[in-house]
Amino acid sequence: MHRKKDRTCIRLTIIKGLNDIDTEGYAELIKKGKPDFIEVKAYMHVGASRERLKFEDMPWHEEIVEFTKELMNIFARL
């Protein structure tokens, strides 16, 4: 990904209790990709996803901020 001439972005959609745990693994993958931008966002309980996930799977903004800070701290150490 880092060899592309275009700007690149890695987007993480966080689902509470499903993929909000391995920040170190995410940091390692992000480092390999060398993106220009990283976007961490919360799963939103809308549309067809309501058939698979519950409202409770939607993380609060504060949880996304905490996850992102932890991710960036780990990423900075790698």
Side-chain angles (χ1 to χ4, degrees), residues 12 14 17-30 67 70-71 74:
L12 304 175
I14 303 303
L18 185 65
N19 67 345
D20 60 347
I21 50 175
D22 188 15
T23 51
E24 189 148 341
Y26 280 121
E28 290 175 12
L29 288 173
I30 291 168
F67 178 89
E70 183 179 340
L71 179 67
I74 294 168

Side-chain angles (χ1 to χ4, degrees), residues 1 4-10 33-38:
M1 195 167 104
K4 293 181 69 76
K5 294 180 182 179
D6 301 321
R7 296 190 316 177
T8 56
C9 178
I10 292 179
K34 298 180 183 177
D36 296 303
F37 305 99
I38 303 166

